[in-house]
Amino acid sequence: MARPREFDPDEAMDKAMALFWDVGYEEASLSALLEAMEITKGSFYKAFQDKHSVYLAALDRYNDKVVSGTVAFLGDPAHGSGRARILGLFGKIAAAALDTGDRLGCFLCNALVDKAAEDREAEAKLQAMTRRLEGGFRRALLDDGVDDSEARAAARGILTSYLGLRVLGRAGLSAEMAADCIGQVERLIERTG
């Protein structure tokens, strides 16, 4: 009879994701992962093949928890017009960086720089998340009656600003920079239908 797992897989994955998010793939050694996940080497290898498989699972976890939540927020008319949802999202990101000193940034952004160029599996997952976010911005614009081709182009510009704001948050976003970024997004939205 197999022994039950000695750890909560969701909790362990959240801890692994946090470590990769903070230090990146290369700096997350196996011993650092075991410590962060609070599991033994034996439990690790019973549940995962290797560090790379944990990293890919962490990307999936981020997609499920963070990207899905962001896309759902952008698509939910209960949070106001599409424009209000987009600007509300940018405001939340800026507030987290400015009010609480959040310097984690975005796992997606960090991973795009850290692994996408050298890891096809990670790149595919990261590109899918990026497309989901772009689709969320597009959906919000479409909800405001923006023409589809215009919404698609604007969504890509907004996505670029979103990724930039998240990177700047990690680098120590200033209030002035946050306001300028949000102002650029506001002007971009105003120029669409």
Side-chain angles (χ1 to χ4, degrees):
M1 185 163 134
R3 289 178 41 195
R5 281 200 172 132
E6 300 168 8
F7 64 94
D8 178 326
D10 290 335
E11 188 178 310
M13 187 49 60
D14 284 343
K15 292 174 181 177
M17 181 178 67
L19 179 66
F20 287 127
W21 189 338
D22 186 35
V23 303
Y25 181 80
E26 295 302 328
E27 294 299 316
S29 66
L30 180 58
S31 62
L33 264 175
L34 295 174
E35 184 178 330
M37 296 171 79
E38 299 178 8
I39 62 175
T40 66
K41 199 174 204 178
S43 292
F44 179 89
Y45 284 113
K46 284 178 189 170
F48 307 102
Q49 286 182 304
D50 53 19
K51 179 173 105 169
H52 186 254
S53 67
V54 176
Y55 185 74
L56 295 176
L59 291 176
D60 289 339
R61 186 96 173 143
Y62 186 80
N63 187 34
D64 292 344
K65 290 184 84 174
V66 179
V67 174
S68 291
T70 302
V71 171
F73 174 81
L74 288 167
D76 187 352
H79 296 289
S81 68
R83 179 179 188 272
R85 286 176 263 160
I86 292 168
L87 293 175
L89 174 64
F90 275 77
K92 280 197 245 183
I93 293 165
L98 297 170
D99 298 344
T100 66
D102 175 7
R103 300 280 301 257
L104 274 177
C106 167
F107 185 34
L108 169 61
C109 295
N110 300 354
L112 282 166
V113 172
D114 187 35
K115 284 302 276 178
E118 61 189 50
D119 182 333
R120 290 215 187 277
E121 286 178 278
E123 179 184 21
K125 289 177 183 294
L126 294 164
Q127 292 299 331
M129 283 186 254
T130 303
R131 284 190 301 276
R132 285 187 74 205
L133 286 169
E134 179 187 327
F137 292 125
R138 184 171 155 253
R139 173 80 265 149
L141 293 169
L142 290 171
D143 285 352
D144 281 0
V146 175
D147 173 74
D148 186 50
S149 62
E150 221 179 322
R152 184 179 309 278
R156 289 187 178 147
I158 295 166
L159 174 67
T160 301
S161 294
Y162 172 84
L163 296 173
L165 185 64
R166 300 303 302 257
V167 169
L168 291 170
R170 184 166 176 104
L173 183 67
S174 70
E176 181 182 17
M177 201 175 287
D180 287 346
C181 183
I182 293 169
Q184 288 291 346
V185 170
E186 201 165 11
R187 286 186 287 282
L188 179 62
I189 292 170
E190 286 171 3
R191 286 194 302 262
T192 62

